[in-house]
Amino acid sequence: MDTEALHTERDRSSAPGTDGSGAGEGSRSVCFRRRPGWRRAAALVGACAVFLLLLSQFVMQPFLIPSTSMQPALEVGDRVLVNKLAYRFGSEPRRGDVVVFDGAGSFVPEDAAGNPVSAAAREGLSALGLTEPSDTDFVKRVVGVGGDRVVCCDKGGRLEVNGVPVDESYLYAGETASHVPFDIVVRQGTLWVMGDHRSRSRDSRDHLGEPGGGTVPLDRVIGRADWIGWPADRWSPLPPTGAFDRVTAPDGAHG
């Protein structure tokens, strides 16, 4: 009987779920089974991040507004959705469009991007709308396209584009068209751009004496700002403007 009792106790101690070594093996087995779930979750997060990066690279990119230069249309902290397909298939920016562009070589020196590693990291975060854009990226409104003559100002204090006065209803309250007079002809293949809050905007006017004369090459345009995506209470499309409807191209064709 004593022998049977010893066998019984030995059998109990080796059963899974007791305080013996079987319990440790059971815990290790549970942990092993959980690990593939974490791997799947990490893979899913990674796949989503790659998808968002590809989407922002080729289709629609969030862009964090860093300054007051485009008030009242855009406020500091707004995240606009930039349509990167707007000008991909033969279309070009039109007067009145709000565009995001790379100002390297026109608004800032070519080498302004700085350290390539930190620039790449910042570009990745800004592509997801998580940080301010690169120091070379800007958002402005197109006022003149290639061939246009843009003059400021007429007797009423308005811009003239190809001899037509422009009523800029989108300007910040109390602003004038420009405190700086200018008379320029926009080179073909470039844009003349200005901020809506003119006294707070460094735009084409500030680069008149530099190479390019303040204009932005078409191939530097990243896309058109179509929507305010965040904050939620400002979610809306950017309204179009009819300010340039009467303006025609210098040759008489509609611009």
Side-chain angles (χ1 to χ4, degrees):
M1 294 298 292
D2 291 340
T3 303
E4 289 176 2
L6 288 172
H7 281 300
T8 302
E9 291 301 320
R10 191 160 52 245
D11 291 343
R12 286 177 181 173
S13 66
S14 62
T18 67
D19 293 336
S21 61
E25 291 174 359
S27 299
R28 286 197 295 272
S29 176
V30 171
C31 290
F32 179 77
R33 288 197 297 270
R34 286 177 180 171
R35 283 175 187 166
W38 286 106
R39 291 195 194 101
R40 285 194 294 269
L44 181 61
V45 170
C48 289
V50 171
F51 172 77
L52 289 174
L53 285 170
L54 289 174
L55 185 71
S56 67
Q57 182 68 30
F58 299 107
V59 182
M60 187 77 72
Q61 177 181 341
F63 181 91
L64 178 63
I65 301 301
S67 73
T68 59
S69 70
M70 283 298 295
Q71 289 178 320
L74 300 174
E75 299 288 348
V76 175
D78 283 351
R79 285 170 173 80
V80 295
L81 300 181
V82 181
N83 181 359
K84 290 191 167 184
L85 299 179
Y87 310 124
R88 284 281 175 88
F89 304 104
S91 297
E92 293 185 353
R94 303 179 62 180
R95 305 178 197 96
D97 286 358
V98 176
V99 297
V100 173
F101 61 92
D102 179 1
S106 57
F107 277 34
V108 294
E110 278 287 355
D111 58 355
N115 183 282
V117 175
S118 60
R122 183 172 184 174
E123 183 178 351
L125 292 172
S126 65
L128 298 175
L130 299 177
T131 189
E132 290 188 4
S134 164
D135 291 338
T136 67
D137 290 347
F138 298 86
V139 56
K140 304 294 177 189
R141 191 180 297 272
V142 177
V143 171
V145 298
D148 284 348
R149 182 183 180 188
V150 185
V151 179
C152 188
C153 297
D154 69 3
K155 293 180 180 179
R158 298 172 297 179
L159 288 182
E160 283 188 352
V161 181
N162 300 333
V164 178
V166 178
D167 292 312
E168 299 180 280
S169 59
Y170 47 75
L171 291 183
Y172 189 77
E175 289 278 25
T176 58
S178 178
H179 292 295
V180 178
F182 58 86
D183 183 346
I184 61 101
V185 175
V186 183
R187 292 185 300 112
Q188 293 294 338
T190 68
L191 304 171
W192 179 268
V193 296
M194 300 175 74
D196 292 353
H197 195 164
R198 297 283 156 84
S199 64
R200 298 290 182 90
S201 175
R202 287 184 56 82
D203 48 43
S204 289
R205 298 168 297 168
D206 297 282
H207 303 280
L208 276 168
E210 299 173 15
T215 59
V216 177
L218 289 175
D219 61 6
R220 292 288 191 168
V221 175
I222 296 169
R224 184 180 65 211
D226 282 349
W227 286 78
I228 300 174
W230 188 261
D233 61 351
R234 284 180 53 75
W235 188 83
S236 64
L238 283 180
T241 176
F244 300 91
D245 287 353
R246 296 190 302 114
V247 177
T248 59
D251 60 0
H254 288 285

